[in-house]
Amino acid sequence: EFRRFSLERSKPGKFEEFYGLLQHVHKIPNVDVLVGYTDIHGDLLPINNDDNYHKAVSTANPLLRIFIQRKEDADYSAFGTDTMTRKKNVLSNVLRPDNHKKKPHIVISMPQDFRPVSSIIDVDILPETHRRVRLYKYGTDKPLGFYIRDGSSVRVTPHGLEKVPGIFISRLVPGGLAQSTGLLAVNDEVLEVNGIEVSGKSLDQVTDMMIANSRNLIITVRPANQRNNIVRNSRTSGSSGQSTESSLPSSTPNILANFLQGEEESDEEDIIIEDSGEPQQIPKAAPTSESLESLTQIELLHESTQNGFLPSSEMNLNHSAANVNVEYEVQDPDHKSLEEDGTIITL
Amino acid sequence: MRRFLRPGHDPVRERLKRDLFQFNKTVEHGFPHQPSALGYSPFLRLMAIGTRSGAVKLYGAPGVEFMGLHEENNTVTQIHFIPGQCQLVTLLDDNSLHLWSLKQHGGASELREEHRFTLKGPPGSPPSATQITAVLPHSSREVLYLGTESGNIFVVELPSLRVLEDRTITSEAVLQRVPEDYCNRRSCELVEALREHPKNPDHILIGYSRGLIVLWDLHNSRVTHHFLGSQQLENLYWQRDGSKFISCHYDGSYTQWPVSSDNRQPEPLENLVPYGPFPCKAISKIYWQTTKNGLPYIIFQGGMPRASYGDRHSISVVHGSQQTAFDFTSRVIDFFIIFSSEPTAEFDDPSAMVVLAEEELVVIDLKTAGWPAVHPPYLASLHCSAITCSHHVSNIPLKLWERIISAGSKQNIHYSKMPWPIDGGTNIAPDPPQRDLLLTGHEDGTVRFWDASGVCLHLLYKLSTVRVFLTDADPNDNMNTVGEDEWPPLRKVGTFDPYSDDPRLGIQKIYLCKYSGYLAVAGTAGQVLVMELNDEDAEHIVDHAEADLLQDQEGYRWKGHEKLKTRDGPVRFEAGFQPFVLVQCQPPAVVTSLALHSEWKLVAFGTSHGFGLFDHQQKRLVFVKCTLHPSDQLALEGPLSRVKSLKKSLRQSFRRIRRSRVSSRKRRGGSGNASEVQEANAKFDQDALQEMELAPVQRKIEARSAEDSFTGFVRTLYFADTFLRDSSRHCPSLWAGTNGGTVYAFCLRVPPAERRMDEPVRAEQAKEIQLMHRAPVVGILVLDGRSTPLPEPLEVAHDLSKSPDMQGSHQLLVVSEEQLKVFTLPKVSSKLKLKLTALEGCRVRKVTVANFGSCKTDDYSENDLAVLTNLGDVQIISLPFLKLQIRYPCIRKEDVSGIASCVFTKYGQGFYLISPSEFERFSLSTKWLVEPRCVVDVPEVTSNNHVHNKSGMENAARKS
């Protein structure tokens, strides 16, 4: 079920008051609930203190979508970027439902208002001298913020040591995504871009490839500084732990196929506006042979009810953002006029 | 399970691909870039042109063309045909000689390099000792005489190119019997000219640069005559009977010398400075042609008064009281005269003069009074005004073709009726399969219509849009008017005119409907003209409409150029395409896309600000759509900032040209000064290089955002009759794609024909698609129910295409620079895609649907996409599954202008500019191949030596 009500944007008040208001509106005064909202990127983020509550209200544009879950059957992993925009995690959750149920969640505190900006992936299949870094551009307004240049590196070949041309990171923009991750550094040699080797390609080609992949850029580098390399099998290092990716079978073609697929999903986000209506994501055409995906879709819907989301049309809408297989359309004429009323909080 | 088959591993498909696709560069159209040498064989009736990049091209009758390329890519400085043979020698600026042959192979002649040779002096001798300055192929066909800078003449055997040491004519031997005082004043210096005696092959005339001329007896190895010239020599020419010869000089004079057996050291008969008395430029080449009526033709290059006309590139023809100084638009490289080469003929009777200027070929008819120019069937100067865009239309209906030709013939009345005089060889290529038009837009506001069906790219008709506008140029400014008492009697010839009066006139987009004869052209200052073909002259008013593309935006100020002023009142137009309506975009930014639908009578146009739709039947603007992002200031400011950089690059290129000119100066052109300049240039180059090395090239990696500049720039427009709103009713629609990855679709309501004038055309935005990768949209296409691209307007009406399948569901193909995507229609959902850039790092520059027929069976053909990438590769991608079929490297990736100029045809061919003046033609199809195929026959070797004598003389022309 869902509710729609309005709040004054300039005076949102305290989180406690808001929490009370929600319990009142839904007539669930004594139920402990988790409160979450979708931000402008479609990510589900928690509201659990004054700060992120204010942030949520201030970013409402103009609608703020709030999700409420019963605390006991809440799924913490639902929060974050991946849940809303990337199917993969959802998919892996679906395929291995026991995965997260059995996994004891060590809840030290409530999930913070964080989303991943980068990760080291495929640690187990790469040579230790290499590092595969994923930059999540879509989750942030930060620029990618780096430059590349031509250079040369020394390779071991059957004919002995050979100097070969290579592509190197030449500059990191202060405050940019690349710099803030700490995973890339000046003079790191770029070996691959989203699974495609760069050797034999010109600087301009590599530039175009990176820009073409900029929404989900995965670059494999040989760091200039080899002292911080991840020692194999120690997953406790500072990586943001894309466990799903690094725990996949470790044969290279599979991995490549895997993240090419991942990439496909992440940028299937073209938007269509029909008859000057609302912008919507363009769905994939009904899959004909890809039965696996349609299966996922069904399971997912099932899953979401299990998760304890209060079933509502709004929720459905947001899930379809997570799973691009679902088509939806908002053609509500009233909808528009409501938008004009200022901040509306919908439930 | 089909999809698990890896692409490229289906053997049936692989075989089919071989039957469909094949890459060939077939022929170069247009005028060779930087020509540097000219040769002619009166025996073969073939002309040869050498270039600065080491190419040698042979031309005969239309369709007879050969091309060869020297490996060294050095400048060709001289070309000489071997008399009576299918052979020629070329001299390069690295002093190497190359022997080329035309040999028959598989039924057609081919040009091949046979031998190469560099003259070597004795060890320790200076390089000048063997620097070749003059080449004389002897009529015996056995030897070449090579004059050098040292004054020695070496003899080289043919065809082995072996030096015959014992036959060398040393300067010492020549000087032996020269009077002492003359000898002291001037040392021999370099050999300027070598000419064989027209009647006696044992005698050759040797001219040295300081003025000494001797007649040398080859048989007895001695000088028979001394001619003591007092002026620096430029060139020599024998009269036909061998009784006289003529020499021309550095001071602008020419001298006639008698040759008789009684006087071994004759005085000149006549010494004349034709454009004196003030100091004149050198006469670098001269002809003396005899005629039946006794009055000779004296034809010479240069000789203009230094002070007032020193900058003219002229060739003067004097025939009795008639004298004309043909004034060429660019530097004259060389010229030759076509005259009677029959050995029995008593007189030369010149028929035509062929002049190779730096930018064009001009042929003058010397037989017809007034000496009109001959319209060349090939070697057209494509760049007579810089090419700004091209448009290709395949398979022109005969009716339209004839009308265009008839319009063009009315423009060509001032040309001579003489058949093309260079007619050697036989064209054995099959007739072109269809009539193709290539339209080029030019900077001066003209559109040229070229017959691109066959090997000879031939100008059919020239359309000028200038008359619609008021420009600074005075229309009455006729360059050809020559006053009665004008001296020198200059007459401008040629069409090369790179100086545009107003760059705003430049043509940017062309769209021709071959069925209706409607033509739309759009230009630099936002002007869109719609024209109709009219077979008669007409005077009418051009309707004028404005399209304010910033309609709903405020607070913007256009800082670019103003729109062109239009002429008031009726304008007279010659037969051909006549404009009837002008749509002026506001702001008057360059038109970046154009589409015409002749059936619906609509024209769509786009700029960097937005796009509009105009109903040219009712002459009413249907709608405009602003695509500008509010924060995009750059797009508003107009092209000013770009102009600045253009100026800079122009300056740089001028500097480059100057530098290369300096370095290619004649070897004798002032020793001290030139070498200093060269040194300075070398230093400059080195500095620039170092500077580049200091600042390493780096590239910024950043995602595109909506706020980037020029996202609103409309890249492509497309009309389609398809299912836009629902799957039960199709309707006319207009699609537009922008630089920022947005696609707009408008639903159109075009009233039925009977009410077409009464009801307005309506448009309503139906869809807007934002590609999240935000790359520029370069192509939009709708595929019908059979996955076939929708036919062109009127194609079905003319029974030339099956009507599209309106039963099955349509698909939309959007091609951005980075990806190709197929969406379903009417509900837009993404079906499949090919991510070209992410996979290969290349970006789409041009894309067209092309039809490929199988070379094995006539009944199979398929539609594919031909794609040119920024790396210069051509890729063929299948429809509708977007599978890469094949890839060919085509253009060097550094050749940005070549890539930008590429146009594909509908049948898998293409054109791109390899220089400002030349199109390379290439073919991707096994079936449609237009390439030269011709035979040059070796005529029977005759014992009559005189034939070869004449040709030998002709070819010994040394050029500066």
Side-chain angles (χ1 to χ4, degrees):
Chain A
E1 61 181 277
F2 75 96
R3 304 276 191 280
R4 187 172 280 184
F5 58 93
S6 65
L7 273 185
E8 200 162 332
R9 190 193 284 271
S10 53
K11 276 183 258 165
K14 296 219 178 293
F15 170 69
E16 289 300 326
E17 297 166 18
F18 176 67
Y19 190 77
L21 178 66
L22 287 180
Q23 286 182 323
H24 173 75
V25 165
H26 285 273
K27 302 186 177 70
I28 42 169
N30 297 317
V31 185
D32 277 349
V33 292
L34 274 184
V35 186
Y37 73 102
T38 51
D39 77 344
I40 45 169
H41 306 286
D43 297 345
L44 182 61
L45 298 173
I47 298 180
N48 48 25
N49 57 38
D50 285 355
D51 284 348
N52 54 25
Y53 167 55
H54 288 163
K55 168 94 179 157
V57 173
S58 65
T59 56
N61 189 21
L63 230 63
L64 182 63
R65 296 203 174 100
I66 301 281
F67 295 88
I68 300 180
Q69 288 174 275
R70 212 184 289 272
K71 211 165 198 169
E72 42 265 41
D73 42 42
D75 174 15
Y76 293 91
S77 66
F79 289 118
T81 308
D82 290 347
T83 47
M84 299 315 286
T85 51
R86 285 186 39 77
K87 184 171 52 178
K88 174 166 310 294
N89 274 12
V90 183
L91 186 130
S92 65
N93 287 346
V94 172
L95 294 180
R96 281 172 282 175
D98 53 335
N99 205 2
H100 57 101
K101 273 183 189 160
K102 283 177 187 165
K103 206 189 280 171
H105 280 287
I106 308 161
V107 187
I108 299 170
S109 65
M110 299 297 272
Q112 298 300 298
D113 186 6
F114 292 150
R115 70 173 70 82
V117 291
S118 65
S119 54
I120 298 184
I121 58 174
D122 297 335
V123 175
D124 41 359
I125 55 157
L126 285 175
E128 283 172 20
T129 55
H130 295 183
R131 181 185 296 163
R132 189 167 286 166
V133 178
R134 179 174 213 151
L135 297 175
Y136 299 82
K137 169 73 183 111
Y138 52 81
T140 153
D141 294 333
K142 272 188 188 171
L144 285 170
F146 66 101
Y147 290 71
I148 57 173
R149 64 167 169 89
D150 278 317
S152 60
S153 70
V154 177
R155 288 275 160 75
V156 186
T157 67
H159 321 287
L161 289 182
E162 239 174 53
K163 221 175 174 189
V164 292
I167 304 287
F168 294 84
I169 293 176
S170 62
R171 195 180 139 206
L172 299 178
V173 179
L177 191 56
Q179 191 222 32
S180 60
T181 65
L183 300 176
L184 298 171
V186 171
N187 293 333
D188 284 1
E189 186 184 359
V190 178
L191 303 171
E192 289 175 0
V193 177
N194 290 53
I196 312 279
E197 274 194 55
V198 305
S199 77
K201 293 198 160 59
S202 71
L203 183 63
D204 286 334
Q205 273 177 283
V206 177
T207 306
D208 285 338
M209 285 166 69
M210 287 188 172
I211 291 173
N213 286 305
S214 58
R215 296 181 63 77
N216 176 39
L217 182 61
I218 301 166
I219 51 181
T220 311
V221 294
R222 189 209 317 270
N225 178 356
Q226 290 280 337
R227 274 174 300 186
N228 296 336
N229 290 344
I230 296 166
V231 182
R232 207 165 274 191
N233 297 330
S234 86
R235 297 267 171 71
T236 49
S237 60
S239 92
S240 315
Q242 283 283 319
S243 58
T244 47
E245 265 142 337
S246 40
S247 63
L248 277 161
S250 56
S251 77
T252 316
N254 271 352
I255 292 299
L256 286 185
N258 176 51
F259 74 6
L260 281 178
Q261 187 192 347
E263 173 201 8
E264 294 234 351
E265 288 151 13
S266 66
D267 75 350
E268 197 69 67
E269 293 167 10
D270 296 341
I271 284 173
I272 180 148
I273 301 172
E274 300 256 6
D275 295 327
S276 315
E278 284 257 300
Q280 302 160 16
Q281 285 178 6
I282 293 181
K284 254 192 144 169
T288 46
S289 51
E290 289 155 287
S291 53
L292 184 72
E293 288 191 29
S294 49
L295 175 83
T296 321
Q297 187 180 328
I298 297 156
E299 293 241 354
L300 184 79
L301 291 172
H302 175 62
E303 173 81 2
S304 55
T305 38
Q306 267 193 347
N307 269 355
F309 278 94
L310 300 167
S312 72
S313 69
E314 283 289 336
M315 180 213 71
N316 216 348
L317 180 79
N318 280 288
H319 259 282
S320 49
N323 182 344
V324 290
N325 284 338
V326 184
E327 274 182 10
Y328 61 91
E329 249 182 280
V330 179
Q331 296 271 12
D332 184 0
D334 301 339
H335 202 80
K336 235 180 176 176
S337 58
L338 277 171
E339 274 181 18
E340 258 65 77
D341 298 342
T343 308
I344 295 167
I345 299 187
T346 314
L347 192 72
Chain B
M1 285 294 107
R2 244 189 96 77
R3 69 196 188 96
F4 291 115
L5 277 175
R6 285 174 156 250
H9 286 264
D10 175 359
V12 178
R13 181 65 196 163
E14 287 304 302
R15 213 171 310 127
L16 184 57
K17 270 157 71 172
R18 277 198 297 278
D19 295 346
L20 293 171
F21 313 123
Q22 183 186 36
F23 182 74
N24 285 296
K25 289 188 181 175
T26 54
V27 62
E28 290 170 7
H29 295 303
F31 184 78
H33 188 50
Q34 296 184 315
S36 56
L38 176 70
Y40 177 66
S41 166
F43 170 71
L44 300 172
R45 298 183 78 82
L46 289 181
M47 167 176 69
I49 295 176
T51 73
R52 291 252 290 265
S53 53
V56 53
K57 296 180 167 197
L58 269 57
Y59 298 90
V64 176
E65 285 190 32
F66 299 96
M67 185 183 145
L69 189 65
H70 294 91
E71 253 171 50
E72 295 85 352
N73 289 358
N74 282 322
T75 299
V76 179
T77 57
Q78 298 187 33
I79 300 178
H80 303 273
F81 282 89
I82 311 292
Q85 301 273 42
C86 286
Q87 282 184 323
L88 62 154
V89 283
T90 54
L91 175 68
L92 305 192
D93 66 351
D94 64 355
N95 203 36
S96 61
L97 270 180
H98 301 254
L99 179 70
W100 297 80
S101 289
L102 282 169
K103 287 215 169 128
Q104 291 203 15
H105 184 262
S109 297
E110 287 176 5
L111 181 65
R112 290 221 194 110
E113 189 180 346
E114 302 263 301
H115 290 288
R116 65 186 62 195
F117 164 75
T118 306
L119 191 60
K120 286 192 187 68
S125 60
S128 66
T130 53
Q131 182 71 46
I132 299 167
T133 55
V135 179
L136 170 66
H138 194 258
S139 59
S140 66
R141 306 170 202 161
E142 282 159 8
V143 289
L144 286 178
Y145 291 94
L146 306 175
T148 62
E149 259 180 38
S150 63
N152 294 332
I153 296 158
F154 294 90
V155 186
V156 170
E157 194 183 57
L158 281 174
S160 63
L161 296 181
R162 197 166 53 84
V163 181
L164 302 172
E165 304 259 359
D166 53 323
R167 291 172 67 177
T168 302
I169 306 167
T170 62
S171 51
E172 289 80 20
V174 170
L175 285 177
Q176 260 172 13
R177 289 176 49 211
V178 174
E180 196 103 327
D181 59 323
Y182 184 87
C183 208
N184 285 347
R185 271 189 289 124
R186 46 200 90 220
S187 66
C188 236
E189 284 271 322
L190 59 84
V191 178
E192 196 68 62
L194 287 173
R195 298 280 154 146
E196 187 177 320
H197 192 284
K199 301 286 178 196
N200 182 356
D202 277 345
H203 284 173
I204 60 169
L205 198 60
I206 306 170
Y208 295 94
S209 66
R210 289 291 168 98
L212 175 67
I213 304 158
V214 298
L215 189 62
W216 180 266
D217 184 344
L218 294 168
H219 197 66
N220 301 313
S221 291
R222 63 182 183 91
V223 174
T224 63
H225 291 72
H226 287 94
F227 308 91
L228 308 177
S230 57
Q231 282 296 332
Q232 195 164 313
L233 183 75
E234 288 283 324
N235 221 323
L236 296 171
Y237 192 80
W238 278 110
Q239 278 191 25
R240 194 177 180 95
D241 59 3
S243 66
K244 275 183 265 179
F245 71 89
I246 191 162
S247 66
C248 57
H249 302 278
Y250 184 71
D251 66 343
S253 65
Y254 64 82
T255 308
Q256 272 194 66
W257 304 84
V259 182
S260 59
S261 50
D262 46 309
N263 189 351
R264 297 286 167 186
Q265 202 171 303
E267 288 296 308
L269 283 176
E270 186 196 16
N271 188 4
L272 200 75
V273 184
Y275 294 108
F278 299 112
C280 289
K281 301 268 280 189
I283 293 180
S284 47
K285 188 171 181 178
I286 192 159
Y287 277 86
W288 181 288
Q289 302 269 290
T290 56
T291 60
K292 228 171 267 165
N293 66 15
L295 281 174
Y297 278 86
I298 301 167
I299 300 166
F300 58 91
Q301 176 188 354
M304 283 283 134
R306 207 165 260 281
S308 348
Y309 299 97
D311 57 340
R312 301 302 178 98
H313 316 287
S314 72
I315 293 178
S316 303
V317 180
V318 185
H319 179 58
S321 60
Q322 295 176 58
Q323 178 163 359
T324 300
F326 292 100
D327 184 6
F328 295 92
T329 54
S330 52
R331 196 167 61 90
V332 173
I333 303 294
D334 201 356
F335 72 104
F336 61 83
I337 307 293
I338 296 175
F339 56 87
S340 163
S341 58
E342 283 290 310
T344 50
E346 207 175 327
F347 302 101
D348 290 320
D349 276 329
S351 56
M353 173 168 80
V354 180
V355 182
L356 177 68
E358 196 151 41
E359 307 290 358
E360 61 186 328
L361 183 82
V362 178
V363 178
I364 305 287
D365 173 2
L366 295 175
K367 290 241 163 181
T368 308
W371 298 332
V374 186
H375 192 54
Y378 44 64
L379 285 166
S381 282
L382 301 172
H383 63 320
C384 39
S385 169
I387 292 181
T388 42
C389 65
S390 340
H391 176 70
H392 186 274
V393 191
S394 302
N395 218 350
I396 304 285
L398 183 62
K399 188 92 205 294
L400 179 69
W401 189 257
E402 284 170 345
R403 291 177 73 191
I404 291 174
I405 287 177
S406 109
S409 65
K410 288 177 189 150
Q411 298 178 323
N412 290 339
I413 41 173
H414 59 280
Y415 280 113
S416 161
K417 302 272 182 297
M418 174 191 237
W420 184 242
I422 303 165
D423 53 4
T426 315
N427 180 10
I428 54 166
D431 280 342
Q434 56 187 30
R435 290 169 296 272
D436 285 359
L437 264 184
L438 182 66
L439 280 67
T440 52
H442 297 261
E443 201 183 19
D444 63 354
T446 58
V447 178
R448 285 171 166 80
F449 289 61
W450 305 93
D451 174 359
S453 327
V455 168
C456 289
L457 192 73
H458 180 70
L459 182 67
L460 294 178
Y461 163 70
K462 183 178 114 176
L463 162 73
S464 176
T465 62
V466 181
R467 297 196 69 82
V468 181
F469 305 103
L470 277 173
T471 55
D472 300 336
D474 183 0
N476 299 322
D477 178 18
N478 191 345
M479 303 289 264
N480 283 341
T481 47
V482 180
E484 283 290 304
D485 49 353
E486 199 85 15
W487 187 262
L490 286 167
R491 193 177 113 195
K492 272 242 174 267
V493 280
T495 54
F496 179 68
D497 179 17
Y499 309 105
S500 169
D501 298 324
D502 191 335
R504 293 177 297 170
L505 290 167
I507 305 296
Q508 297 293 337
K509 293 286 162 193
I510 304 171
Y511 198 107
L512 172 69
C513 172
K514 61 183 176 185
Y515 303 111
S516 63
Y518 280 114
L519 171 73
V521 298
T524 306
Q527 73 272 32
V528 180
L529 284 162
V530 188
M531 317 198 191
E532 216 172 353
L533 189 53
N534 186 345
D535 299 322
E536 301 298 327
D537 288 19
E539 187 165 337
H540 57 81
I541 295 174
V542 177
D543 280 300
H544 187 193
E546 294 232 335
D548 181 7
L549 295 171
L550 290 180
Q551 239 168 18
D552 35 4
Q553 310 274 338
E554 271 173 33
Y556 288 132
R557 203 161 64 83
W558 166 252
K559 296 181 194 156
H561 49 231
E562 284 175 31
K563 66 171 186 176
L564 285 159
K565 285 197 185 71
T566 49
R567 236 175 248 279
D568 294 327
V571 184
R572 177 139 210 102
F573 295 102
E574 56 180 16
F577 288 93
Q578 298 173 348
F580 61 91
V581 66
L582 164 70
V583 185
Q584 177 63 52
C585 299
Q586 282 293 4
V590 47
V591 176
T592 56
S593 54
L594 182 71
L596 178 78
H597 199 293
S598 41
E599 200 170 344
W600 304 336
K601 308 265 194 289
L602 296 172
V603 61
F605 46 88
T607 71
S608 51
H609 303 107
F611 59 96
L613 181 68
F614 189 84
D615 172 359
H616 66 75
Q617 176 95 359
Q618 292 186 26
K619 299 191 176 122
R620 196 183 69 89
L621 190 66
V622 179
F623 78 92
V624 292
K625 166 85 183 173
C626 180
T627 54
L628 199 65
H629 193 275
S631 66
D632 191 354
Q633 280 303 315
L634 267 179
L636 274 159
E637 285 180 4
L640 276 183
S641 50
R642 283 205 198 164
V643 167
K644 224 180 268 167
S645 65
L646 180 73
K647 260 187 195 156
K648 199 176 151 202
S649 68
L650 269 180
R651 207 159 43 229
Q652 279 166 345
S653 59
F654 273 126
R655 202 175 293 150
R656 252 198 313 276
I657 289 167
R658 214 160 37 225
R659 224 179 308 158
S660 59
R661 283 227 177 111
V662 166
S663 58
S664 72
R665 278 297 302 162
K666 275 175 153 185
R667 58 216 172 262
R668 59 185 143 167
S671 51
N673 204 7
S675 65
E676 260 170 48
V677 172
Q678 266 172 17
E679 233 166 77
N681 280 331
K683 194 168 174 298
F684 175 86
D685 284 349
Q686 216 157 35
D687 289 352
L689 214 70
Q690 262 167 8
E691 208 171 295
M692 267 165 59
E693 275 162 13
L694 282 178
V697 187
Q698 56 175 8
R699 296 276 183 272
K700 188 178 184 181
I701 307 297
E702 205 47 75
R704 290 197 192 80
S705 88
E707 279 91 50
D708 284 350
S709 285
F710 294 111
T711 50
F713 187 123
V714 179
R715 290 290 292 266
T716 181
L717 288 163
Y718 177 68
F719 284 108
D721 186 359
T722 187
F723 301 93
L724 197 54
R725 282 249 167 75
D726 57 66
S727 48
S728 54
R729 269 177 308 134
H730 57 94
C731 66
S733 64
L734 172 66
W735 298 78
T738 72
N739 227 27
T742 312
V743 175
Y744 300 94
F746 280 75
C747 195
L748 309 179
R749 212 191 63 80
V750 183
E754 62 275 15
R755 294 197 302 277
R756 183 62 181 82
M757 281 309 283
D758 310 328
E759 293 175 22
V761 176
R762 292 186 200 283
E764 199 179 339
Q765 181 164 342
K767 282 181 178 17
E768 178 181 332
I769 300 170
Q770 175 61 54
L771 302 176
M772 286 318 276
H773 64 285
R774 296 191 184 280
V777 176
V778 292
I780 298 174
L781 184 70
V782 172
L783 306 176
D784 73 3
R786 289 183 295 257
S787 294
T788 307
L790 293 185
E792 278 177 65
L794 294 175
E795 203 170 13
V796 177
H798 284 72
D799 279 340
L800 289 160
S801 167
K802 273 196 283 189
S803 37
D805 180 356
M806 288 301 189
Q807 304 305 315
S809 56
H810 284 197
Q811 296 172 70
L812 170 71
L813 170 70
V814 177
V815 183
S816 81
E817 284 190 4
E818 292 185 352
Q819 300 185 8
L820 291 86
K821 286 192 151 183
V822 174
F823 298 97
T824 57
L825 282 177
K827 176 162 275 310
V828 175
S829 47
S830 75
K831 204 164 171 191
L832 46 100
K833 67 183 160 188
L834 177 66
K835 298 175 79 173
L836 219 51
T837 310
L839 291 171
E840 298 176 33
C842 59
R843 304 167 65 84
V844 178
R845 283 279 175 268
K846 305 273 167 176
V847 62
T848 315
V849 177
N851 187 275
F852 291 93
S854 163
C855 60
K856 292 272 169 63
T857 50
D858 273 343
D859 53 356
Y860 184 81
S861 76
E862 64 177 45
N863 290 307
D864 295 278
L865 290 173
V867 172
L868 177 77
T869 71
N870 65 333
L871 303 179
D873 288 348
V874 173
Q875 307 196 353
I876 297 171
I877 294 168
S878 72
L879 280 176
F881 296 109
L882 302 185
K883 293 269 183 266
L884 175 63
Q885 300 297 304
I886 209 150
R887 176 190 351 218
Y888 304 105
C890 179
I891 311 175
R892 281 182 310 114
K893 69 170 178 238
E894 297 79 19
D895 185 4
V896 179
S897 56
I899 292 173
S901 66
C902 179
V903 283
F904 287 111
T905 78
K906 283 227 140 92
Y907 295 93
Q909 299 199 26
F911 300 85
Y912 68 92
L913 288 172
I914 47 176
S915 73
S917 57
E918 285 166 290
F919 273 115
E920 173 82 59
R921 186 187 195 115
F922 63 88
S923 172
L924 301 166
S925 161
T926 51
K927 208 170 174 183
W928 304 89
L929 210 62
V930 173
E931 59 185 344
R933 194 171 157 78
C934 40
V935 174
V936 174
D937 281 321
V938 193
E940 283 295 300
V941 180
T942 58
S943 55
N944 191 339
N945 231 358
H946 290 296
V947 185
H948 317 303
N949 241 346
K950 274 323 275 190
S951 46
M953 264 188 57
E954 184 57 44
N955 287 300
R958 221 210 105 242
K959 46 157 295 299
S960 45

